[in-house]
Amino acid sequence: MIDCRYFEPATMAEACSLLAEYGQGARIVAGGQDLSLLLGCGKIEPEGLVSIHKVAGLDDIAVVDAGIRIGAMVTLQRLGSGEEPVAQVLSAAVPQIADRQIRNRATLGGSICAAHPGSDINTILMTLDAALTLVSNKGERVVGVEDFLLDAFSTATQPGELLREVVLPVPEQMRS
């Protein structure tokens, strides 16, 4: 049995405050693919689970001057659908990752933050020179994927930080 508090913040500020309050005892709930396995096996015993499902904007995809912004809660299935303005190599590669059931739940942010050494999505994002926008109560910072992934299952996330989005450089054919 899991004995912890569960939170569903509606804003980024609320989510960051909860992450700061619980520190190392907090876990973020996104798609839940890796988290549910770790909880079920007793590998982790968090004090608080912070669901980011209701945080506005985390499931957005937009083309802006800085590049293609993909929110952390965008599912892998949505990325692979080909219906979004994302890099062709990303939308072509994603359907090859896992199976449809997993892709329907797995989020881009969760896939990155799990830092699984066999992660196809992280390799693809490194190839595309993706940058990650991390936010906390202290502000935001941008980190390249290659600098974010420190080791197997280890990232450069600082206490109280949340991955908000992935930014891909705008491909030449999409520039005005």
Side-chain angles (χ1 to χ4, degrees), residues 49-173:
L49 294 174
V50 180
S51 171
I52 58 173
H53 289 94
K54 294 183 179 180
V55 177
L58 290 182
D59 62 350
D60 292 346
I61 298 176
V63 177
V64 295
D65 289 341
I68 301 169
R69 296 183 178 273
I70 306 170
M73 286 296 296
V74 172
T75 65
L76 296 184
Q77 184 63 32
R78 183 173 164 201
L79 283 178
S81 72
E83 297 174 13
E84 302 288 347
V86 296
Q88 289 179 353
V89 68
L90 187 56
S91 60
V94 168
Q96 308 309 314
I97 298 172
D99 61 27
R100 187 179 190 94
Q101 291 173 320
I102 298 292
R103 292 191 309 268
N104 279 333
R105 290 291 304 159
T107 62
L108 180 60
S111 298
I112 296 166
C113 291
H116 194 285
S119 171
D120 293 324
I121 198 71
N122 288 335
T123 302
I124 295 165
L125 293 173
M126 280 190 260
T127 303
L128 296 173
D129 289 327
L132 309 176
T133 305
L134 303 163
V135 296
S136 71
N137 287 340
K138 298 175 185 175
E140 71 177 51
R141 66 186 179 112
V142 177
V143 180
V145 174
E146 66 281 354
D147 295 323
F148 181 75
L149 300 168
L150 301 178
D151 205 345
F153 309 106
S154 177
T155 69
T157 305
Q158 297 174 354
E161 274 188 329
L162 172 66
L163 173 61
R164 181 178 68 206
E165 65 192 7
V166 174
V167 181
L168 302 175
V170 176
E172 280 296 322
Q173 67 269 26

